Amino acid sequence: MAEESDLEKTEEASTRRLEKAREDGDVPRSKELATFIVLMAAVIALWLSGESIIGQIKSMLANALYFNEINQTDSPLVDKTLAQDLITLLLSLLPLFGLVMLSALVSPALIGGWLFSNKAITPNFGKLNPIKGLSNMISKHALMELAKAILKTLLVGYVAWLVVMSQMDAIFALASESLTVASSHQGHILLICFTFMILALALIAFIDAPYQMYHYAEKLKMTRQDLRDEAKESEGNPETKAKVRSIQRQMASRRMMSQIPTADVVVTNPTHYAVALKYPENANYAPLIVAKGMGEIAIKIKEVALEHKIVLMEAPPLARALYHHTELGDEIPKQLYTAVSQVLAYVFQLRDWHKNGGLEPLKPDHIDVPTDFDRLSTSSNQS
């Protein structure tokens, strides 16, 4: 039962899934709302500038059908007059075209916002799959679209019939009116009919918009397994992260081991700790930690040191203090200057003795380490 629930799409789409869908050009859209807004803008423009547009068309037709001697013999004048009439007509149509174009740009922003995606216009031959096409035709969404189209046709047709019935007296009166008055009256009746038909579309649009939002949310719903997989991808698979950390540790260890041959001494606590120190002659800084480790890493550090004839110095308190209070590449703490100087002095004397002979230097029998820097001595004092 738990496995079945994990495979059911019961969870809301995550932010990442929504962003990916948007990148693919998949956003909620209501064609009915966009159609209603564009047509409503056209109706408003016609109510505001319809008479001006009709007047300009009548004037243009009158000029085009008027013939005289000048029009027949002066071709450039005819062209100039025609061009002026066309410009005047276009200017009169500008409010209509401008308002329609503006509404066409604004309507997508109401649901889904403006979006341009290359993926949406990239050819996808998978969409030509006839089996998938047939499944889409009989899907729940397709049935809803069919019902909506039928409802829209019936509603708009019914509203148109009601408007025509309400204007029957005016329609019959057209026959008794002059041509000019009848043309104007007929245009007014058509505009009324068109307006009410567009208002009928508002009902369809306001039903379709919430449905499209609901359908989009349902389509992008995720299973619990999807959420877990996405979390692994975003945060990193624990197994992969552990493997990466392991590789990083191995690389850091190899880099550290490669620095041991440059060390001057390796301070050890025979079986637990090993810390390699480097202090070049005439250096203007404190000795540096070039390698450190405990357990198996400490054993490996000592092996590499012996291979390269680096001095091993047993000083358990100092080894512990250096291990716990420093990081790779750090200078030693000021509190350990005295202890480390004792070790380095012995190492440099030993190096000189091997080179020039003479009396063998004495190994320091006591290296003074502050008690608060040695965890073992601190814990023993507290006990």
Side-chain angles (χ1 to χ4, degrees):
M1 293 293 291
E3 291 181 359
E4 290 180 1
S5 63
D6 285 351
L7 296 177
E8 293 178 1
K9 292 187 175 183
T10 57
E11 307 301 319
E12 297 296 328
S14 65
T15 302
R16 185 177 180 188
R17 185 176 179 89
L18 292 172
E19 290 176 351
K20 187 176 184 303
R22 189 172 182 83
E23 290 173 1
D24 293 339
D26 186 8
V27 293
R29 287 282 187 251
S30 173
K31 293 184 290 186
E32 306 303 331
L33 181 61
T35 301
F36 165 71
I37 292 174
V38 171
L39 291 178
M40 198 65 204
V43 167
I44 293 172
L46 287 174
W47 276 108
L48 295 176
S49 60
E51 292 185 6
S52 174
I53 294 173
I54 295 299
Q56 292 297 333
I57 293 174
K58 288 170 62 177
S59 175
M60 183 178 175
L61 289 174
N63 290 335
L65 296 175
Y66 178 72
F67 293 96
N68 56 30
E69 183 179 354
I70 297 177
N71 289 342
Q72 294 175 356
T73 58
D74 193 347
S75 178
L77 180 60
V78 173
D79 295 338
K80 182 179 179 180
T81 302
L82 181 60
Q84 289 177 345
D85 290 340
L86 286 173
I87 292 173
T88 304
L89 177 61
L90 290 175
L91 289 175
S92 64
L93 290 172
L94 191 59
L96 173 62
F97 291 158
L99 198 55
V100 169
M101 290 181 63
L102 180 62
S103 62
L105 292 173
V106 170
S107 57
L110 298 178
I111 297 182
W114 287 304
L115 175 68
F116 179 81
S117 173
N118 291 329
K119 292 184 180 181
I121 60 175
T122 302
N124 184 359
F125 295 103
K127 293 182 178 180
L128 300 178
N129 188 340
I131 297 177
K132 187 175 181 180
L134 288 173
S135 65
N136 290 335
M137 289 176 62
I138 58 175
S139 65
K140 179 181 176 182
H141 181 64
L143 293 176
M144 181 63 183
E145 291 295 318
L146 176 61
K148 186 175 63 178
I150 294 173
L151 177 62
K152 181 168 62 174
T153 302
L154 293 175
L155 181 61
V156 172
Y158 179 66
V159 170
W161 180 78
L162 288 178
V163 174
V164 170
M165 290 297 101
S166 67
Q167 297 290 323
M168 284 303 296
D169 292 341
I171 293 173
F172 286 127
L174 293 176
S176 61
E177 297 174 350
S178 65
L179 181 61
T180 302
V181 175
S183 299
S184 177
H185 197 183
Q186 181 185 17
H188 186 72
I189 293 172
L190 290 174
L191 190 54
I192 291 175
C193 184
F194 185 49
T195 300
F196 278 97
M197 290 170 66
I198 299 306
L199 290 175
L201 288 178
L203 178 61
I204 304 295
F206 293 138
I207 293 175
D208 182 65
Y211 169 74
Q212 294 299 336
M213 297 290 290
Y214 167 78
H215 173 72
Y216 182 76
E218 287 292 310
K219 182 178 67 173
L220 294 186
K221 271 190 174 180
M222 305 171 69
T223 65
R224 293 180 181 177
Q225 185 61 43
D226 290 337
L227 290 175
R228 285 195 287 266
D229 293 342
E230 185 180 276
K232 287 181 180 180
E233 290 179 6
S234 59
E235 298 175 4
N237 190 310
E239 296 178 359
T240 304
K241 291 173 69 176
K243 186 175 181 180
V244 170
R245 284 195 297 267
S246 176
I247 294 173
Q248 290 174 339
R249 284 195 297 269
Q250 293 175 6
M251 293 176 64
S253 178
R254 283 196 293 268
R255 286 195 301 269
M256 183 178 70
M257 295 299 173
S258 68
Q259 294 297 315
I260 295 175
T262 67
D264 294 305
V265 63
V266 175
V267 182
T268 69
N269 176 8
T271 57
H272 296 91
Y273 299 95
V275 181
L277 297 173
K278 176 181 180 180
Y279 186 63
E281 295 182 8
N282 302 320
N284 58 357
Y285 50 82
L288 302 176
I289 308 297
V290 296
K292 72 171 191 172
M294 63 181 297
E296 293 182 0
I297 298 178
I299 295 172
K300 183 64 177 177
I301 289 174
K302 288 188 285 186
E303 290 176 354
V304 175
L306 288 173
E307 288 178 7
H308 293 85
K309 298 180 180 180
I310 306 299
V311 177
L312 298 180
M313 180 75 175
E314 288 189 16
L318 180 59
R320 291 191 296 267
L322 289 170
Y323 180 85
H324 290 295
H325 296 281
T326 60
E327 297 294 336
L328 288 177
D330 286 354
E331 296 182 9
I332 64 170
K334 293 181 180 180
Q335 294 85 342
L336 298 178
Y337 278 4
T338 302
V340 171
S341 64
Q342 289 180 267
V343 172
L344 290 175
Y346 169 72
V347 170
F348 292 148
Q349 290 172 10
L350 190 63
R351 188 181 297 170
D352 184 68
W353 175 69
H354 282 299
K355 183 177 180 181
N356 300 317
L359 294 175
E360 182 178 356
L362 296 176
K363 186 177 181 180
D365 56 355
H366 177 71
I367 297 176
D368 187 22
V369 175
T371 55
D372 57 339
F373 264 67
D374 183 6
R375 292 187 175 184
L376 186 59
S377 60
T378 301
S379 60
S380 62
N381 290 338
Q382 291 175 347
S383 61

